[in-house]
Amino acid sequence: MEWLLGQLLSQEEELQFSSFSSNTALQIGLMLVEEASRQGKSITTDITLNGHQLFHHAMQGTTPDNADWIRRKNNVVARFGHSSYYMGMRLRMEGKTIEQKYGVPTAEYAANGGAFPLIIRNVGVVGTITVSGLPEKEDHDLAVYVLRSYF
């Protein structure tokens, strides 16, 4: 499991932007929707920069619950500065829930895969690129795949 945590941190180091705009969010958001559609999967996706939602799309077959999962996953990235998948895997390694370790309610924080930190190189985490609707590893992997394709 240590190797997985290292791999997840490497993804965060690799997938950083020099700048980010509304047009960037639109392009990546559409790429996420197109890739999910190509795979025959339904997702809700969200891209937020400094608390400003730049892109949000719920594909046919998703539910309002997916938007709530996005909100809770985004809270994890905003608080801890790492992907929600990384935080979830780290907590599982320690045998603890996010509530046990950090005292934050699971109604507000979901340490489950799918929220990837939007990182500006030499600035830090400024938002999230999030997928919900698939098993957590698939949510995370879809975001990473599309970001790699974008770069």
Side-chain angles (χ1 to χ4, degrees), residues 7 9 21 32 43 55 63 81 89-90 92 97-98 104 106 109 118 124-125 132 135 137 139:
Q7 181 181 37
L9 290 175
S21 69
L32 284 163
I43 62 165
F55 184 91
T63 71
M89 297 309 291
R90 197 171 104 190
R92 282 185 205 108
T97 66
I98 197 163
V104 297
T106 56
Y109 293 84
L118 194 171
V125 177
S132 178
K137 181 181 183 321
D139 279 348

Side-chain angles (χ1 to χ4, degrees), residues 9 28 45 80 90 123 131 141 147:
L9 290 175
I28 292 170
T45 188
F80 301 103
R90 197 171 104 190
V123 173
V131 174
D141 288 347
L147 284 171

Side-chain angles (χ1 to χ4, degrees), residues 94-105:
E94 296 174 15
K96 296 189 177 190
T97 66
I98 197 163
E99 196 156 359
Q100 290 168 329
K101 175 138 182 159
Y102 298 106
V104 297

